[in-house]
Structures are given as structure tokens and as C-alpha cells.
Amino acid sequence: MATYIINLAILIGINAILAVTLNFILGYAGIFSLAHAIFFGIGAYTAAVAAMKFGADFAAATAAGMLVSGVISLALALPALRVRGEYFVAASLGLQMLALTVFSEWKSVTGGIGGLIGIPPPRLFGFDVSDPVLFLALTLACLGVILIAIRALVRSSFGRSLKAIRDDETAASALGKNVALLKTLAVMVSSSFAAVAGSLFAFFLSFINVESFVLEVSVQVIAMVIIGGTGTLLGPVIGAAIVLLLPALLTYLPYLPPTEIGSIQQMIYGLAMVLLMIFRPSGLWGYGSSQDRKRAAP
Amino acid sequence: MTGEILFQADNISKTFGGLKAVDNVSFALRAGIITALVGPNGAGKTTLFNAMTGHLVPDRGAVTFLGESILGLPHWKVARLGIGRTFQDLKLFSHMTVLENVTTATESGSWLWQTGGRAAQVERSARIERALDATQLQRRRDTRAVDLSYAERKFLSIARIMASGARLWLLDEPASGLDRSSYDRFLTVLRNEVRAGVTICIIEHNLDIVQSISDRIAFLDQGRLLAEGEPKTILSDPALAAIYFGERAP
């Protein structure tokens, strides 16, 4: 039971990193991406390949994943962010489909549909951190560092510029802000940090395949951000916990046939999203009362 | 220096489909004065503003600022040269506080940090405080723009352009909807800024405001510049008055 809870906590931590990094562009810059699972995947595959073929430890493998993910994000952002938001949504959907095909077809690197098996246990600065408790500590440390980094970025001139773009792109550029460049940088930062989640995921499972990076995962991360609260620091963490705990809790409900849990879960997600949009459109941790506003301030 | 030509438009035209929104307009903005662009609805005033700030590229003509061509520059580059503007619908950063709105106006750098070090930061802070003081928004500095009154929002749009350090301000109907006391305060702010060296070009429908604040008037109708001169000359011209109040140009 303890191992199950620790493993669940690790998965929540990994998904929280994904949600927090997506929120950086969605909540603070108003950039709606449907390709976040791809940068998660790029981080996972790069870290796995670095560990399997080059013997990289967790830090080196993660750094490699961040670099590759950041560079590939530029390929998406540079052309797509010169236009208004809806085009980026379409472009990100295109990248999601394209990259998924690459993941499943580039067999020599990704292992194809079968994926990569036998990713070595994670080591950090010479120490084995494969023990679940240690790995949970590593996951939480990564989440903490990313939260601190994003908090600092949001409070900086860069963060203010992103929020200005989110609120009114025309006014932001009329104040001298290079909107395309700022958005490109934001996507690069977000994608690089998302790769950290990918690296943790690859080392945690010792196995990855294309199933973990499909469009449904991107949509699920968006749901985490919206449920928790866009444009808030901790909202996406709460959203990730709720979305991952829900199926776990449903398994304890009596009289629910195990074969129907998936459908019931989908119905509850849908209902929760509809109710949230009606009664609390800023999410559970988002703006509501003045007290909430103080809490939501990054 | 007062009197020097800060901005010059030469024979600029802009057509949308079959509509000539701006038709061969030439005019200059001289430093240290307030020039009003007046004319009936659809005269091309806002289109001219957009062409002046790079939000629209004229089909033909030349646009210079401080003697350098700014034609074809993206609007963020035009802004960095020192041309700031406000919008009819204000376009505030609604979910940011007053302080954040004004602070971000001082930060045009696009990287993760602003260049210039400590000295530049001190100078930016001084501009922020001066803008908040001049517009009496100090006590509202931590309030989100969306929670401000209408008059406060108008003043925030001015505080933002003030903090940006722009040398030429293009204000699109900045006083519309203000009550009398806010309006008087507003004019005082603009006059003080002009005395401090700012040049202002203002689009305004209220001729009382135009008469009380402007040093020169440019009269537009159907995309053409019909007249330019001192307020008393332009506003006392019966032909222009007839056009302004609904009759067509001769």
C-alpha cells in the first residue's frame, strides 16, 4: 500500500510539473498549446536514449532533454507565434500529430510502437535514486525548483510582458514589446521545463512508448490547469492531484463495476469542467474573492 | 526643442478595398505643442494614427520621425523610437494591477531581464512614481485595472504612456466620457507634460476640448486633409463647421 501511494505521489509530481509548465504559457501568456505531451515525450525519449546509449545520469539526461525540447519548440514557435492565438492552436495540434508519428515510426531511436525498454535506474551525482522514496524526493525537488523558477520569471519584467500580451497583444506591442519574440521565449522555457517531467517519467517507469504522449495526455494536462486555476502558481499542482487522484478514489467506491470506472471517470471530468466553467471559471485556486486574489498572486 | 518638426507625413494614402481611408495626406507635428486631428466620423483619423504608428503600412507616401524614415517598421519598433499611443477602447492590461500596467510600460526589452543595470532600474522607478503621482493613481497602485472606475482607467492609459518615456503621444479620444472635474484634471496633466517637453497629437470629437487644449488643428474629411492651422481659424470656418456637423465637403 505504501509503495502504491508513493508511486501515485510520484505520478502526481510528474503531472504537476507538466501542468505548471503548460500554465506558464497558457495562464501567463495566453498561449493555448495542444502539443504539451510532445515536449513531455521529447524529454522522455531524449533522457532515455542519453541514459541507455551514453550512460548519462539523471542530471545529464534531463539537461539533454531540456535542450532538445527547447530547440524543437523553436521550430514550432518561430513561425506559428507570428500570428494570433488560434493559429498557434492549429499549429500545435499539427505538431502533436506529426511528432506522434515520428515517435512511433523512428524505430532506431524511439523503439517504435514497442517503445524503449530497460532504461537504467536513475543515478544522480553517482548515487542510486531508484528507491521510490528517494525518487519521490527527486520528483518533488524538481517540481519545487520549477515552481521557484516560474515564480521568479512571472514576477520579472519578462513575466509582466507575458501578462501584458495575454491581456492585450496590440497594447503590448504599442508599448514596444516584441510580442513574437516574447512568446517564442515563453514557449521555449515551458517546453524545456516540460522535458524535466519527461525525464522523470522515463526513469520512473524504466519503459516508455508512444501511448504516454498522445493528444489525450495534452488535453488532460489542459484540464489539470483549468481545474486548478490558470494564471496561478499552485492551481495546476492542485489540478494535477485532483485529476490523478480521482481514478484512484473511484476504485474504492462500492458497487462500481471495474470495467465501467473509465466511463464514469470521463463523465465526472466532464461534469466537473462544466460546473467549474459555470461557478468558478478561474479554477479552484483562481480569482474569486479578494482573499483568493491575494492567494493567487504569484 | 519647441517648433522643430518631430513627425512628418508626406502624401500618405491607405485604401481598404474600394474605400480611400487616407487620401494623399501630408502634415507635420511640431515639438512641444498639442495638435488636434478633428473631423466627422469616418474621416480617417484613427487610420492615420495607425499609419503613423506602424499598425498599418500606408499604400504610398513617406513617414519620418526625427528626420528618419519609420515607414514599414513594426509598431513595437516605432514605439521604442519614442512614439506612444492610446486607444479609443483603452486596451489596458485588465488583470494586471495599476502598478504592473505602469511598470511594464517602462520595460520594452524582450529578454528575460532588462538591460542597463541598476542606474536604468532607478530611472525606470522614478518614471513609474512620477506617472502615478501625476495621474493621482498612487493609492490605487495595487488595484487591478478591471476594478478601476472609468475615469481612473482613462488616467491609467495616460500613466502608461507617460511611464513609457514616449516623446510623441498620439491620444485617441482620451477625454471622452470624463466628468467635469476629471476632465479638468486631465487637461492639467496634458498641459504639464507638454511643458515638460512632450509633443501631443490628439483625436477628439468634442470641439470645446479641442479649442481649450490644442495649439494647432488638422481637419480631415473622407480621408483628405481639408485644412490645417490655428484653432480659432479652423473652428470659425463655416464651411468646415458645416462638414463637421453633417454636410458634405464641397
Side-chain angles (χ1 to χ4, degrees):
Chain A
M1 185 67 180
T3 307
Y4 170 72
I5 291 171
I6 291 170
N7 286 344
L8 189 59
I10 290 169
L11 281 176
I12 289 172
I14 290 170
N15 279 274
I17 292 173
L18 277 180
V20 164
T21 53
L22 177 65
N23 181 51
F24 182 65
I25 53 171
L26 178 59
Y28 294 113
I31 301 168
F32 198 96
S33 171
L34 284 169
H36 211 57
I38 291 308
F39 298 110
F40 176 46
I42 291 169
Y45 280 115
T46 308
V49 170
M52 292 169 77
K53 294 198 174 171
F54 304 103
D57 74 350
F58 175 77
T62 302
M66 291 176 74
L67 182 67
V68 173
S69 186
V71 169
I72 290 176
S73 78
L74 289 180
L76 167 71
L78 281 173
L81 287 172
R82 292 186 174 278
V83 291
R84 298 269 172 175
E86 55 271 26
Y87 294 94
F88 186 82
V89 178
S92 66
L93 181 60
L95 177 74
Q96 171 74 42
M97 313 308 281
L98 176 73
L100 210 60
T101 307
V102 172
F103 288 168
S104 57
E105 297 301 321
W106 196 8
K107 295 183 177 68
S108 60
V109 173
T110 65
I113 298 289
L116 295 175
I117 303 165
I119 299 165
R123 298 185 67 79
L124 186 63
F125 307 125
F127 296 100
D128 185 339
V129 287
S130 59
D131 177 80
V133 175
L134 285 178
F135 199 80
L136 174 61
L138 177 65
T139 303
L140 294 179
C142 289
L143 174 61
V145 168
I146 287 171
L147 281 171
I148 290 167
I150 285 180
R151 187 172 191 264
L153 283 173
V154 168
R155 288 183 159 201
S156 71
S157 61
F158 179 63
R160 276 187 293 276
S161 293
L162 293 183
K163 287 189 279 183
I165 290 168
R166 173 198 65 191
D167 282 3
D168 200 302
E169 212 170 297
T170 305
S173 62
L175 287 170
K177 299 188 187 303
N178 184 344
V179 172
L181 179 58
L182 284 160
K183 285 165 116 181
T184 301
L185 279 172
V187 170
M188 195 177 77
V189 168
S190 167
S191 305
S192 297
F193 282 153
V196 176
S199 177
L200 284 164
F201 187 72
F203 281 111
F204 174 57
L205 292 184
S206 312
F207 158 75
I208 50 170
N209 77 350
V210 71
E211 293 292 318
S212 303
F213 314 114
V214 294
L215 178 63
E216 284 77 2
V217 175
S218 288
V219 174
Q220 183 172 279
V221 179
I222 291 170
M224 291 171 188
V225 175
I226 292 173
I227 289 170
T230 54
T232 64
L233 193 67
L234 293 178
V237 178
I238 293 166
I242 289 172
V243 168
L244 288 188
L245 284 175
L246 189 63
L249 292 174
L250 284 177
T251 58
Y252 288 99
L253 282 182
Y255 313 118
L256 277 183
T259 51
E260 302 302 327
I261 284 177
S263 308
I264 293 169
Q265 186 186 325
Q266 291 300 320
M267 288 168 68
I268 291 176
Y269 279 161
L271 188 63
M273 295 286 271
V274 170
L275 291 175
L276 264 177
M277 289 304 101
I278 293 170
F279 295 109
R280 206 171 169 86
S282 300
L284 294 173
W285 197 254
Y287 286 104
S289 65
S290 56
Q291 199 61 35
D292 292 335
R293 234 169 262 157
K294 281 181 193 164
R295 191 175 53 182
Chain B
M1 184 187 294
T2 302
E4 72 168 312
I5 291 178
L6 201 63
F7 176 91
Q8 177 97 42
D10 287 314
N11 305 113
I12 61 170
S13 296
K14 182 67 189 177
T15 303
F16 298 107
L19 174 73
K20 281 188 174 176
V22 176
D23 185 8
N24 207 32
V25 169
S26 297
F27 80 109
L29 296 176
R30 293 186 178 277
I33 64 170
I34 299 179
T35 303
L37 282 181
V38 299
N41 283 330
K45 303 183 294 292
T46 299
T47 305
L48 189 57
F49 258 27
N50 288 335
M52 291 164 75
T53 52
H55 286 79
L56 284 175
V57 180
D59 299 328
R60 63 188 180 85
V63 184
T64 59
F65 180 64
L66 292 168
E68 299 288 327
S69 174
I70 57 170
L71 192 69
L73 287 182
H75 38 295
W76 59 270
K77 279 191 178 171
V78 173
R80 289 186 187 183
L81 290 174
I83 300 179
R85 72 171 293 183
T86 64
F87 299 85
Q88 278 180 39
D89 57 352
L90 300 181
K91 294 193 180 297
L92 299 177
F93 306 129
S94 302
H95 298 94
M96 295 167 70
T97 64
V98 166
L99 181 60
E100 285 178 315
N101 264 272
V102 178
T103 302
T104 198
T106 67
E107 300 165 335
S108 58
S110 299
W111 299 105
L112 298 179
W113 58 89
Q114 297 298 304
T115 56
R118 178 75 188 152
Q121 193 182 337
V122 168
E123 189 269 332
R124 283 197 301 273
S125 296
R127 267 193 281 153
I128 292 164
E129 296 307 319
R130 183 177 168 274
L132 292 176
D133 285 338
T135 53
Q136 297 184 14
L137 285 170
Q138 279 287 15
R139 64 187 175 83
R140 304 286 271 161
R141 59 194 290 147
D142 295 322
T143 306
R144 290 195 306 169
V146 72
D147 295 325
L148 295 176
S149 70
Y150 184 72
E152 287 172 330
R153 289 182 204 186
K154 286 272 184 181
F155 278 102
L156 179 54
S157 72
I158 293 298
R160 216 167 53 172
I161 196 172
M162 194 184 290
S164 76
R167 193 171 164 191
L168 171 60
W169 296 9
L170 306 178
L171 310 181
D172 200 346
E173 299 189 31
S176 62
L178 288 181
D179 61 85
R180 187 72 214 180
S181 72
S182 300
Y183 164 72
D184 289 341
R185 201 152 55 84
F186 193 82
L187 292 193
T188 304
V189 170
L190 294 192
R191 287 198 185 102
N192 287 343
E193 288 308 302
V194 169
R195 269 196 289 275
V198 166
T199 301
I200 294 176
C201 181
I202 186 169
I203 291 177
E204 187 53 68
H205 282 291
N206 186 328
L207 294 183
D208 289 336
I209 296 174
V210 171
Q211 192 157 26
S212 64
I213 197 171
S214 58
D215 301 299
R216 285 187 74 78
I217 292 178
F219 192 102
L220 287 158
D221 182 48
Q222 296 185 342
R224 288 177 295 149
L225 181 66
L226 295 189
E228 190 183 3
E230 292 187 2
K232 64 179 180 186
T233 309
I234 301 292
L235 295 177
S236 61
D237 186 327
L240 296 178
I243 293 168
Y244 191 83
F245 291 110
E247 295 176 24
R248 288 276 43 97

